[in-house]
Amino acid sequence: MRTRVVTGRADVPRELRAAAPLMASLRAPIPARAPWLTAVLNVSAARPGTGSPVAVVVEQAPGGRPDGLALLTARRRGAALELTLLGDGAGPVPPGRPHARLLARDDDAAARLAEGVLSLVSGRSAPWSLSLSGLPLGDPTSRALGLLRPEASFATARTSRLVDRLDGAGGSVARSRDPREVERRLPALLAAQPDGRCRDLLRAAARLHAAIGQVEVAVLTDGPRVRATVLTLVDGADRQPWVGCGDPAALDHEMGAPATSLRVSAGWFSRPPAPR
């Protein structure tokens, strides 16, 4: 196996497309697949200060299908370097499950991938940080990173999932995957997002996934009045409510699956906050 690093908005999308079979075989969630991350790249290209995409690729031979892939964003603050997962903080991800992945076909690929990620910061005298969040429990690449950097800190937290209760809220419910209907209902969902950056990704990702049949819009009405709207991501038989707005009686939140995060840093990034 060999590991290589690809940077820049012109080249990282090619690695996304090449990794589509790996994403499918590992059953990566929709936010960790090529269409979603392409939307992230397109939206971030229009925003200053969003950093540069980086792909760490593990493969058997040049030009072959990858066995491992880490998709990151590199941001610089002067000489300091911050590395996060591509898409982290870009907009609303479907809640309730770990949404991110460090893609590795097996433990050997995970170990090589961890080495490749750390190669981005090895030998740096300037401060740096690596913060990876939204990963599943037992992620093998995270485990390998922890073995290579014993000072890394891990945290686990329960997610909260959105529950679609439209069918039991009274009134009439209509569900559709028609991109035209998704577009028609999108303004209300966008208006419910307080952050402009979140609205940008929601708009782009909803339109793209509607075009490939992976978004359903559900609308609860009483006569001409719209009471609630929910977007759900659909992947085969799997359904995951994504965002909603309107009558709280039609929308609920429940405890979801746990997700983990990893952080390792050096230089002033690793200093504890100064007391106030």
Side-chain angles (χ1 to χ4, degrees), residues 19-207:
L22 177 63
M23 294 168 175
S25 68
L26 295 176
R27 300 180 62 85
I30 287 177
R33 294 194 184 187
W36 184 286
L37 294 172
T38 298
V40 168
L41 288 172
N42 291 339
V43 168
S44 63
R47 299 177 188 162
T50 54
S52 176
V54 179
V56 180
V57 185
V58 177
E59 59 191 6
Q60 293 287 347
R65 289 184 174 180
D67 291 299
L69 179 68
L71 293 157
L72 309 171
T73 297
R75 297 179 180 86
R76 297 190 179 275
R77 295 167 57 183
L81 175 66
E82 297 177 271
L83 294 170
T84 58
L85 287 170
L86 180 65
D88 186 28
V93 294
R97 307 176 194 170
H99 61 269
R101 290 294 186 274
L102 294 165
L103 301 163
R105 195 176 302 281
D106 51 34
D107 286 345
D108 189 19
R112 298 296 183 98
L113 188 60
E115 292 172 358
V117 168
L118 290 176
S119 74
L120 300 173
V121 296
S122 63
R124 285 184 61 87
S125 57
W128 58 267
S129 71
L130 173 67
S131 298
L132 310 176
S133 59
L135 295 167
L137 289 172
D139 175 72
T141 307
S142 294
R143 184 169 60 247
L145 285 167
L147 291 173
L148 292 170
R149 301 292 303 219
E151 75 276 22
S153 60
F154 292 84
T156 302
R158 278 279 183 181
T159 62
S160 174
R161 71 185 187 96
L162 177 66
V163 182
D164 175 349
R165 300 205 185 281
L166 271 63
D167 291 319
S172 176
V173 179
R175 299 180 183 274
S176 175
R177 296 192 199 178
D178 187 334
R180 294 169 296 182
E181 185 64 14
V182 173
E183 187 69 25
R184 180 185 173 200
R185 302 300 180 179
L186 199 50
L189 293 157
L190 294 171
Q193 298 293 322
D195 189 320
R197 294 172 300 176
C198 291
R199 289 193 292 271
D200 290 342
L201 181 62
L202 175 58
R203 181 187 296 108
R207 287 172 172 169

